[in-house]
Amino acid sequence: MGKRDRDEGKPAPQAPFNAALARLRERLPEGWAPPAEAERAEEASAAPPPRGPARAVVRLERKGRGGKEATVVEKLALAPAALSAWADELKRALGCGGAVEEDAIVLQGDQRERARRWLEAKGVRKVILG
């Protein structure tokens, strides 16, 4: 006796088998509708890009580091507290180690391209790769 023979007498279910969000939909206020794609696009484009330092220089350095590669981000012209905060955010975003040395952020490994994209997203207007 196959599975088909057993299921012939049962009626098909009316609702979907796994309606995970059905209860959440019931809790929405009456007449609620999701925002249209155009409205969401306007909201996203209406927000001005974040404003950061005017420029940054990102370069790869090997000398004086025991042959290991280090990415140096300099010329940010930030206060020491702000530079430390940016270094922490950058290290978390890239998933690498690093430190602040004088007025530069030093990251472990070759992170030039990834650091450039992060800095541009953070609002740095001109990023120079060296």
Side-chain angles (χ1 to χ4, degrees):
M1 178 178 230
K3 184 176 174 159
R4 252 186 212 184
D5 297 333
R6 286 182 283 178
D7 292 339
E8 283 182 18
K10 296 180 184 177
Q14 295 298 322
F17 173 71
N18 186 4
L21 301 176
R23 286 194 173 164
L24 290 176
R25 283 192 202 102
E26 292 170 2
R27 297 175 72 186
L28 290 173
E30 187 138 344
W32 182 87
E37 286 293 324
E39 291 176 18
R40 282 188 248 158
E42 285 177 15
E43 290 174 6
S45 66
R51 186 123 184 175
R55 73 179 192 145
V57 176
V58 180
R59 61 186 173 83
L60 186 66
E61 189 174 272
R62 284 193 192 101
K63 290 193 176 185
R65 302 194 180 275
K68 303 227 189 297
E69 294 179 336
T71 303
V72 180
V73 181
E74 55 189 6
K75 311 251 192 241
L76 283 170
L78 293 172
L83 189 65
S84 178
W86 274 50
D88 289 341
E89 283 183 49
L90 183 56
K91 290 188 302 183
R92 279 192 198 98
L94 300 182
C96 66
V100 176
E101 292 181 0
E102 296 178 13
D103 61 344
I105 300 171
V106 180
L107 304 169
Q108 293 176 350
D110 185 1
Q111 309 288 340
R112 289 177 292 185
E113 196 57 39
R114 295 174 67 205
R116 180 190 62 81
R117 287 193 305 265
W118 186 86
L119 289 165
E120 287 173 350
K122 195 76 169 158
V124 177
R125 292 183 290 284
K126 185 173 184 179
V127 180
I128 301 166
L129 291 180

